[in-house]
Amino acid sequence: MFQVQWIRSTGGSWCTLEQIYPDEIETLGVFVLWHGGRMPRTLRVGHGSIGERLAVLQKDTGVRRYRHFGPLYVTWAEVQPQHISGIMRYLAVRLSPVFEDPAKPAMAIPINLPA
């Protein structure tokens, strides 16, 4: 199992989608977006240039409508490009996101989940 470092805020809590500054994030890797509340749920797992992807998600009305369930949280991890497809497959299977990114067929590469 690969171990990745999931990013948190400087205080140690999860980052909220609304309070991050995507233009300051230069990481290439994978991310997980979920809503908090009584029944948290993964909304999206994705990959690529994290700052660019999160900037788009901040404006995505489909994602933003889930705010009424609870805060929208996000975390990301730097991942080597050759492992992204396998890690994306693993995250999609384990977390069952509401919105799915089309993924290339790949063998799942297990990693530690955000915890």
Side-chain angles (χ1 to χ4, degrees), residues 42-60:
T42 302
L43 298 177
R44 183 179 295 279
V45 295
H47 65 92
S49 173
I50 301 302
E52 291 174 12
R53 295 297 308 274
L54 297 183
V56 170
L57 288 172
Q58 283 180 330
K59 299 172 187 165
D60 186 319

Side-chain angles (χ1 to χ4, degrees), residues 3-32:
Q3 293 292 314
V4 298
Q5 181 178 356
W6 293 104
I7 299 300
R8 292 179 179 259
S9 71
T10 53
S13 59
W14 294 116
C15 303
T16 60
L17 183 62
E18 291 86 5
Q19 295 176 335
I20 61 166
Y21 298 97
D23 55 333
E24 296 177 2
I25 302 169
E26 297 181 6
T27 303
L28 177 65
V30 296
F31 69 87
V32 177

Side-chain angles (χ1 to χ4, degrees), residues 9 16 24 27 37 41 51-52 61 63 78 91 95 97 106 110:
S9 71
T16 60
E24 296 177 2
T27 303
R41 182 152 186 212
E52 291 174 12
T61 55
V63 167
E78 185 172 359
L91 291 173
L95 301 176

Side-chain angles (χ1 to χ4, degrees), residues 4 9 17 37 65 67-68 77 80 83 91 93 101-102 110 113-115:
V4 298
S9 71
L17 183 62
R65 69 182 171 156
R67 288 184 299 182
H68 74 275
Q80 296 298 316
H83 300 301
L91 291 173
V93 168
D101 278 353
L113 297 176

